[in-house]
Amino acid sequence: MTPFDFFVLSGLLFAVGLFGVIVRRNVISLFFSLELLLNSANVLLVGFSKLHGNLFGEVFVFFVLAVAAAEAAVGLAIVVALYRYRKSVNTEDFSLLRW
Amino acid sequence: MREVFFYLFAFLSVAFAVISVTHKNVIKGGLALLSSFIALGAVYFTAGAEFIGIVQVIVYGGAIVVLYLFALMTMDLKSFGKEPLRALSLAVGGAVSLVLFVSVLYAGYRFYGGSLTAGISGAKEIALPLFYRFLLPFEVISVLLLVATVGAVAVGRREE
């Protein structure tokens, strides 16, 4: 278990999440991918915290968790409101403002 | 022993993340995401970040994913329809994520072979920096959570 292993795990999670953000069209699946992106950053913060021997990275992970909870609450409220108007969660049905 | 569990749970979290991103059924994808987060909490445990591991399981597993699943219950799953797979977006997504993965590995290469501190950071150790040095961000985060709660209720309520 070296710091490099944290880089590999974080990079894999970030790659999977970014792939999902680009490929998926379902808004809920996009949210899942966004959570994976946030988690990959958390993995690296914990790894650096353990590498440097101080706890500032883990405190920052705590803040990231709180922001992720706020993002999930507001994002889901927007998705539910949109679903009520359009009866759809597919991003291709939300192209009203597209140029 | 720690090493074995670290690699086991790291593999599990990545495998469940792949399932959650690629599965057609959103509910099953959400459950795979829940498993991925719990496996990630176990990874934090093996690294000695005890408090973060517990909070990861409680907040991500217990709050966020359950919130998603509850929101999914208010929707009609049959109306979601098919997602056609486009070769272009598959190619672009694969290429971009591969480039990012390689660049993360390149950035981390100089930490190859280093060693980690073996200390365990529980609630007591985290509390010291959190409530002394980072007290103002902590209070700001609590205001942010309040604003987000009020905003979510305001956005989600039905119009009269």
Side-chain angles (χ1 to χ4, degrees), chain B residues 3-155:
Chain B
E3 316 267 310
V4 177
F5 279 115
F6 176 84
Y7 292 119
L8 172 68
F9 285 115
F11 173 76
L12 274 181
S13 75
V14 173
F16 278 121
V18 170
I19 292 174
S20 83
V21 162
T22 55
H23 207 286
K24 279 182 205 144
N25 189 333
V26 191
I27 300 277
K28 284 177 186 165
L31 285 179
L33 192 75
L34 179 63
S35 318
S36 172
F37 286 162
I38 289 174
L40 216 54
V43 167
Y44 295 152
F45 260 90
T46 62
E50 217 171 55
F51 182 73
I52 295 297
I54 294 170
V55 170
Q56 163 89 10
V57 172
I58 292 174
V59 173
Y60 268 113
I64 295 182
V65 176
V66 172
L67 193 65
Y68 284 132
L69 293 180
F70 264 110
L72 277 173
M73 280 179 200
T74 67
M75 301 172 182
D76 183 16
L77 283 182
K78 292 198 181 71
S79 73
F80 278 16
K82 294 262 187 294
E83 287 182 67
L85 282 179
R86 290 197 189 74
L88 179 67
S89 67
L90 272 180
V92 170
V96 171
S97 51
L98 194 68
V99 166
L100 250 150
F101 178 58
V102 171
S103 57
V104 167
L105 287 196
Y106 180 72
Y109 188 70
R110 64 199 185 88
F111 295 102
Y112 192 83
S115 63
L116 298 167
T117 53
I120 290 175
S121 47
K124 192 180 170 190
E125 288 81 8
I126 291 271
L128 209 66
L130 187 61
F131 290 122
Y132 283 93
R133 188 160 177 173
F134 297 99
L135 186 61
L136 182 67
F138 183 78
E139 298 293 337
V140 171
I141 269 301
S142 63
V143 175
L144 174 79
L145 280 175
L146 178 67
V147 170
T149 314
V150 174
V153 172
V155 170

Side-chain angles (χ1 to χ4, degrees), chain A residues 1-26 28-29 31-33 35-36 38-40 42-44 46-56 58-59 61-74 76-81 83-85 87-90 92, chain B residues 2-3 6-7 10 13-14 17-18 20-24 26 29-30 33 37 40 43-44 46-49 51-52 55-56 59-60 64 67-68 71-72 75-76 79-80 83 86 89-90 93-94 96-97 100-101 104-105 108-109 111-112 114-117 119 121 125-126 129-130 133-134 137-138 141 144-145 148 152 155-158:
Chain A
M1 195 163 62
T2 64
F4 190 66
D5 295 334
F6 282 93
F7 273 93
V8 175
L9 177 58
S10 169
L12 278 174
L13 284 178
F14 198 88
V16 170
L18 195 67
F19 183 77
V21 168
I22 294 174
V23 169
R24 293 306 294 261
R25 290 284 171 269
N26 190 325
I28 306 283
S29 293
F31 270 119
F32 291 169
S33 309
E35 299 295 340
L36 283 175
L38 283 169
N39 263 292
S40 79
N42 282 353
V43 169
L44 214 48
V46 168
F48 270 116
S49 178
K50 286 293 164 197
L51 175 68
H52 292 305
N54 64 29
L55 291 170
F56 297 158
E58 292 181 31
V59 171
V61 169
F62 192 76
F63 293 144
V64 171
L65 278 166
V67 172
E71 171 251 332
V74 176
L76 267 179
I78 293 173
V79 169
V80 169
Y83 181 77
R84 221 177 277 142
Y85 281 117
K87 295 282 168 238
S88 164
V89 290
N90 195 319
E92 288 172 3
Chain B
R2 273 171 75 176
E3 316 267 310
F6 176 84
Y7 292 119
S13 75
V14 173
V18 170
S20 83
V21 162
T22 55
H23 207 286
K24 279 182 205 144
V26 191
L33 192 75
F37 286 162
L40 216 54
V43 167
Y44 295 152
T46 62
F51 182 73
I52 295 297
V55 170
Q56 163 89 10
V59 173
Y60 268 113
I64 295 182
L67 193 65
Y68 284 132
L72 277 173
M75 301 172 182
D76 183 16
S79 73
F80 278 16
E83 287 182 67
R86 290 197 189 74
S89 67
L90 272 180
V96 171
S97 51
L100 250 150
F101 178 58
V104 167
L105 287 196
Y109 188 70
F111 295 102
Y112 192 83
S115 63
L116 298 167
T117 53
S121 47
E125 288 81 8
I126 291 271
L130 187 61
R133 188 160 177 173
F134 297 99
F138 183 78
I141 269 301
L144 174 79
L145 280 175
V155 170
R157 100 196 133 100
R158 284 173 205 279

